[in-house]
Amino acid sequence: MSTSDLDKSIQYIKGVGPKRALSLGRLGIHTVKDLLYCFPRTYQDRSKVEKISNLTDGATAMVKGIVINIKSFRTRGWKSIFEASIGDGTSMLQVKWFNRPYQSEIFQVDDHVFLYGKVSLYKQSLQMVNPEYEIASEEDAPGKSVGILPIYSLTEEMRQVSFRKLVKMVVDEHYHKVEEIFTDDIISKHKFVPITSAIKNIHFPDSMDSLKDSKRRLKYEEFFLFETAMALRKRGIKEVSGYKFCIGKNVETHIYKLFPFVLTKSQQKVISEIHEDMCSERPMNRLLQGDVGSGKTAVAVYALLAAVANGFQTAFMAPTEILAEQHYRTLTLMLEKAEVKILLLTGGAKTKIKKENIERIKQGDIDLVIGTHALIDKGVEFKKLGLIVIDEQHKFGVMQRTRLRQKGHKQMPDVLVMTATPIPRSLSLTVFGDLDISTIDELPPGRTPVETYRVPVKKENDAYGFIRKEVEKGRQAFVVYPLVDESEKLELKSATVEAERLRDEVFSGLNVGLLHGQLKPELKELIMSDFVNHKYDILVSTIVIEVGIDVPNATVMAIEHAERFGLAQLHQLRGRIGRSSHQSYCLLFGIQKSAESRQRIKTMLETNDGFKIAEEDLKIRGPGEFFGTRQHGLPEFKIGDIINDFDIIKLARADAFDLVKEGHKSKDSKEQMLLKRIMESFKDKLDLINTG
Ligand code: ADP
Ligand code: MG
């Protein structure tokens, strides 16, 4: 087999010089194989030649005709234009090319040509502007570009036609050398076409059906490789020895006594899954998902205290200072009578105290450290870190999680990551594919679903009146703004300015507090705890309260300029209320400008289900945005689409996990080759793909 042929540099292909090789390199194409695996972005079906008399404005079509006359000239702005009239016996079509000075005469009168492009109406007659074209050699010979043609994602300097020519040449010469990586079992089980035919047809399909078959096969292959990497990583983590905690009935009863409530069935189920992980000698690598307000903190407390009871140190990391402080307050209160040494470590704390604290952590003097990303600072070392809990994990990058895990010593600490942004199904099999997943799927008893309303400008005063009534009933409210300071450009109501207006005019007589990210940490903490203690009726705030904040007595979440927030943010903000048996209300102020913002608001009005919202959000924004740029671990698939190819992902995952299942010794040389190939292509990524 001539693998080496495929690994040959693209530069040695006929017609590719150093310069072209450079542009190809920019597309990630360095070898022959790279080019074979550079799949089209879309296709044009040119298998049908349309009569010119049948063309309509706006249609995209292929026509074949004779050049009747041509004209080449420049506009006053020195733009070059090449014009031609084409006739096919049914009618005439005007064709124009702008700015092709290097090719002023595209073709000659009497040439037979194929044209493919969009038809538009110009001065009462139909025309095509900058269509793709090809000169037919003889009148009746079908043009080479008839059929289903690939369109590639190219850089500006490249042209579809010449790139396609290059691909055609390379495919024709090399497609039969691509190695089959799958066993016959897999191929016959899924009725796959051979890889060689898939490669050929993905570029130059014989028919729509063979294109479909090729796509299915190549998507499967891509997901399969990725899922095998996931399975290997998962197995790898499981093979490392971790701590084996011992959690007896005594310890459990002790922990349960600390909760001021009875755990829900869902919480209990999740706790038993965590219990099993912790008691095994394999390190836990578990994702806990549960909608806002479902009671994830209690589950975290269980895991943390169980590890402390085993004589280990534990870390509890939250994405914001305000949330870390809240956890610190809640846990300190809960552990008042327990002998657990607990400490708060944030970036904002004073340096001298912080130094002392860091020293105490290092000495092993502290059992439970709660903090922000300050926990992963270089200087922070643990003596015996046994368990890590990361709250609102979607706010952290992959590297940050890995770094916290590395604070462990010889053995790997158990890791529990929590999220209120439920992971859409397709992502739980890909991006988060190496984690075990637990789900809390019920809310604590007695909750009534939050009611959500849109507040048009003319109803704003009514809405404020409604908030006042809630306050008079003894409840509290959040009013959230997108910005801190007045910005003339954006003309958004900003929190500082609005806080004054609300305090002095709208809510005069009520206690109105202001909280935003630019305040000093001590002040933030004070304002937040004052709100918790009901010293304020209304808290005007920015997005700093987005995640995690838990003030059960608050029943109103008013969001100003709701159109400025993303769907996930809106859902998180709404999750700050509806945390008690009192009916809660989410009020969305603002004008709906774009179609997208309208879609977001509509989704918010339609459902409270975080899962549906996450799926919708993923659809609106796509996976890259959904995770934000910080999630470098997000895999990029060439042909697979993690949103729409769920069924294929499922198949590929099942087969991949079967291949690397624990203790599986592969006898088949095909399988070994496959594993080798996966190791090669994911070597540098195995560490990165997802949480460590
Ligand atoms: P989240 O999952 O959003 O982090 P929290 O852990 O903050 O949710 O819990 C939300 C609220 O519900 C808190 O006030 C918490 O005390 C309360 N809570 C949690 N579990 C229960 C339960 N089993 N019964 C009653 N209230 C509960
Ligand atoms: Mg929480």
Side-chain angles (χ1 to χ4, degrees):
M1 259 187 224
S2 24
T3 323
S4 53
D5 257 15
L6 300 184
D7 290 330
K8 224 166 59 181
S9 164
I10 197 78
Q11 198 174 322
Y12 301 113
I13 296 293
K14 212 173 105 216
V16 181
K19 195 163 155 242
R20 195 140 186 232
L22 215 64
S23 352
L24 290 169
R26 257 172 244 139
L27 290 176
I29 300 168
H30 305 284
T31 64
V32 168
K33 188 170 166 200
D34 293 340
L35 191 68
L36 293 177
Y37 277 82
C38 171
F39 302 135
R41 169 169 59 81
T42 179
Y43 300 83
Q44 288 175 349
D45 185 0
R46 300 193 196 173
S47 41
K48 213 173 138 230
V49 176
E50 197 58 77
K51 290 193 176 100
I52 294 178
S53 61
N54 284 345
L55 294 181
T56 50
D57 184 17
T60 298
M62 160 100 158
V63 297
K64 178 171 182 256
I66 300 175
V67 181
I68 310 292
N69 63 56
I70 55 172
K71 198 162 93 185
S72 188
F73 59 99
R74 284 186 183 277
T75 61
R76 261 186 248 125
W78 210 242
K79 258 191 188 167
S80 76
I81 297 181
F82 177 76
E83 252 182 32
S85 311
I86 312 288
D88 71 347
T90 70
S91 188
M92 294 279 283
L93 181 67
Q94 292 305 312
V95 189
K96 280 184 198 145
W97 281 272
F98 289 94
N99 271 329
R100 301 254 173 123
Y102 51 89
Q103 203 177 14
S104 63
E105 309 281 280
I106 290 176
F107 33 64
Q108 309 293 321
V109 171
D110 287 342
D111 277 349
H112 289 261
V113 294
F114 288 94
L115 299 168
Y116 183 87
K118 195 169 172 187
V119 182
S120 56
L121 202 60
Y122 178 74
K123 289 188 179 164
Q124 313 281 318
S125 60
L126 292 176
Q127 65 164 14
M128 274 187 189
V129 177
N130 294 339
E132 282 189 47
Y133 61 90
E134 187 159 321
I135 299 170
S137 37
E138 285 166 49
E139 189 189 346
D140 290 318
K144 280 170 283 185
S145 51
V146 178
I148 303 163
L149 284 196
I151 308 286
Y152 298 88
S153 298
L154 301 178
T155 53
E156 246 173 57
E157 70 218 11
M158 284 193 249
R159 309 217 138 266
Q160 289 294 343
V161 176
S162 59
F163 187 80
R164 192 183 294 142
K165 236 184 224 158
L166 175 68
V167 178
K168 178 89 178 122
M169 192 171 79
V170 171
V171 167
D172 283 348
E173 196 181 328
H174 297 281
Y175 81 94
H176 61 279
K177 299 176 193 162
V178 178
E179 276 178 295
E180 182 62 71
I181 58 168
F182 292 127
T183 56
D184 295 341
D185 279 359
I186 287 185
I187 292 180
S188 63
K189 183 165 88 180
H190 300 302
K191 300 194 175 65
F192 283 142
V193 294
I195 184 66
T196 47
S197 147
I199 291 289
K200 191 158 173 264
N201 277 283
I202 198 72
H203 292 285
F204 302 100
D206 293 334
S207 66
M208 279 304 187
D209 279 343
S210 62
L211 175 60
K212 219 169 96 194
D213 288 343
S214 306
K215 268 192 186 164
R216 188 169 69 91
R217 143 102 220 209
L218 291 167
K219 282 174 181 220
Y220 173 92
E221 182 167 319
E222 191 170 38
F223 288 129
F224 182 90
L225 290 175
F226 180 79
E227 291 294 350
T228 309
M230 279 294 177
L232 283 170
R233 182 172 155 71
K234 193 166 178 172
R235 196 176 74 178
I237 287 177
K238 299 270 167 188
E239 276 167 359
V240 177
S241 70
Y243 298 116
K244 190 173 166 171
F245 299 102
C246 175
I247 314 169
K249 275 276 161 288
N250 254 345
V251 171
E252 291 206 320
T253 320
H254 222 78
I255 297 174
Y256 290 146
K257 263 198 212 143
L258 299 171
F259 298 133
F261 41 69
V262 180
L263 294 174
T264 62
K265 279 224 173 62
S266 235
Q267 283 169 320
Q268 280 168 21
K269 179 197 71 191
V270 164
I271 281 178
S272 72
E273 286 160 0
I274 290 171
H275 178 277
E276 197 170 310
D277 281 356
M278 289 181 71
C279 294
S280 104
E281 56 205 26
R282 313 240 177 276
M284 168 161 71
N285 194 29
R286 187 169 285 278
L287 170 75
L288 170 59
Q289 58 175 4
D291 210 347
V292 282
S294 61
K296 293 183 291 295
T297 317
V299 175
V301 168
Y302 170 90
L304 292 165
L305 295 184
V308 169
N310 277 266
F312 284 90
Q313 288 182 296
T314 56
F316 189 7
M317 184 159 85
T320 63
E321 274 169 29
I322 295 179
L323 184 52
E325 274 149 13
Q326 172 183 293
H327 284 326
Y328 180 68
R329 264 198 316 273
T330 314
L331 270 87
T332 312
L333 211 67
M334 216 185 254
L335 298 173
E336 230 170 12
K337 296 204 185 72
E339 279 169 46
V340 176
K341 283 186 225 122
I342 171 171
L343 185 146
L344 178 69
L345 191 77
T346 64
K350 287 203 193 76
T351 43
K352 187 165 164 265
I353 303 173
K354 199 167 159 186
K355 261 191 204 144
E356 283 171 20
N357 283 343
I358 289 175
E359 189 54 33
R360 291 176 67 197
I361 296 171
K362 196 172 162 188
Q363 297 302 327
D365 192 22
I366 300 295
D367 304 313
L368 169 51
V369 187
I370 298 173
T372 55
H373 52 266
L375 279 178
I376 54 173
D377 283 351
K378 258 216 198 95
V380 182
E381 281 172 50
F382 289 80
K383 189 159 181 224
K384 204 183 179 192
L385 183 60
L387 177 113
I388 297 162
V389 178
I390 300 176
D391 197 11
E392 308 291 350
Q393 71 81 33
H394 60 284
K395 291 270 157 187
F396 290 100
V398 175
M399 288 314 283
Q400 285 167 306
R401 275 176 262 148
T402 309
R403 269 169 60 194
L404 188 52
R405 177 164 240 162
Q406 283 159 355
K407 301 267 175 200
H409 284 264
K410 272 174 259 122
Q411 276 151 313
M412 214 184 258
D414 277 4
V415 174
L416 176 67
V417 299
M418 310 200 293
T419 183
T421 301
I423 312 298
R425 289 185 314 164
S426 49
L427 299 188
S428 67
L429 297 189
T430 49
V431 188
F432 297 93
D434 64 336
L435 291 166
D436 296 308
I437 298 185
S438 292
T439 308
I440 304 185
D441 50 17
E442 76 183 306
L443 294 179
R447 302 273 176 88
T448 25
V450 176
E451 287 177 18
T452 304
Y453 298 97
R454 200 171 80 73
V455 181
V457 178
K458 59 177 193 291
K459 289 273 175 71
E460 281 183 7
N461 283 329
D462 295 355
Y464 290 137
F466 176 81
I467 296 175
R468 184 182 276 275
K469 280 221 186 75
E470 278 291 298
V471 169
E472 280 162 2
K473 279 196 244 164
R475 303 285 82 76
Q476 290 166 279
F478 293 100
V479 182
V480 175
Y481 289 89
L483 287 180
V484 186
D485 285 308
E486 196 72 62
S487 147
E488 279 173 11
K489 245 204 208 141
L490 288 163
E491 285 189 4
L492 297 176
K493 298 174 178 177
S494 78
T496 22
V497 174
E498 277 303 292
E500 273 170 39
R501 185 177 75 91
L502 293 180
R503 185 184 301 146
D504 300 342
E505 299 165 28
V506 179
F507 297 124
S508 63
L510 306 183
N511 294 316
V512 179
L514 170 66
L515 181 71
H516 59 74
Q518 284 164 31
L519 296 172
K520 286 226 169 70
E522 302 84 37
L523 200 53
K524 270 192 266 190
E525 192 181 346
L526 183 70
I527 293 167
M528 202 57 226
S529 65
D530 280 352
F531 186 61
V532 171
N533 296 325
H534 206 158
K535 288 198 184 137
Y536 297 117
D537 303 306
I538 293 169
L539 187 66
V540 179
S541 172
T542 58
I543 196 74
V544 290
I545 56 138
E546 178 189 354
V547 290
I549 298 307
D550 183 46
V551 184
N553 191 47
T555 56
V556 180
M557 169 60 68
I559 305 174
E560 302 265 355
H561 290 288
E563 77 278 1
R564 308 267 316 167
F565 295 95
L567 196 46
Q569 283 182 318
L570 291 171
H571 181 64
Q572 282 282 354
L573 286 170
R574 180 167 62 183
R576 299 310 112 224
I577 55 170
R579 293 176 163 250
S580 67
S581 55
H582 301 295
Q583 177 63 53
S584 289
Y585 307 91
C586 177
L587 308 176
L588 304 174
F589 289 64
I591 331 154
Q592 299 168 14
K593 287 203 184 94
S594 67
E596 241 186 56
S597 68
R598 209 167 303 141
Q599 182 58 36
R600 292 196 293 261
I601 305 288
K602 187 167 163 268
T603 308
M604 286 293 288
L605 297 176
E606 276 169 9
T607 181
N608 279 315
D609 183 339
F611 203 84
K612 282 195 190 126
I613 288 177
E615 298 257 356
E616 188 61 35
D617 201 24
L618 181 64
K619 259 188 235 148
I620 296 178
R621 293 193 294 163
E625 287 255 330
F626 182 82
F627 284 101
T629 45
R630 287 197 291 164
Q631 295 275 353
H632 334 280
L634 189 67
E636 268 178 39
F637 293 104
K638 277 191 176 148
I639 187 165
D641 173 340
I642 50 182
I643 301 175
N644 296 311
D645 294 333
F646 185 67
D647 291 338
I648 302 181
I649 296 175
K650 238 170 36 186
L651 285 186
R653 182 174 169 88
D655 291 345
F657 273 69
D658 205 38
L659 178 68
V660 290
K661 67 173 170 270
E662 279 170 63
H664 177 99
K665 288 269 176 299
S666 73
K667 300 163 259 114
D668 192 311
S669 66
K670 261 260 160 70
E671 280 187 6
Q672 269 157 9
M673 182 178 106
L674 181 56
L675 284 174
K676 200 171 135 249
R677 170 148 167 211
I678 290 156
M679 293 296 206
E680 278 162 15
S681 44
F682 286 96
K683 205 164 62 203
D684 46 335
K685 288 199 188 123
L686 272 172
D687 282 340
L688 256 180
I689 301 165
N690 217 309
T691 81

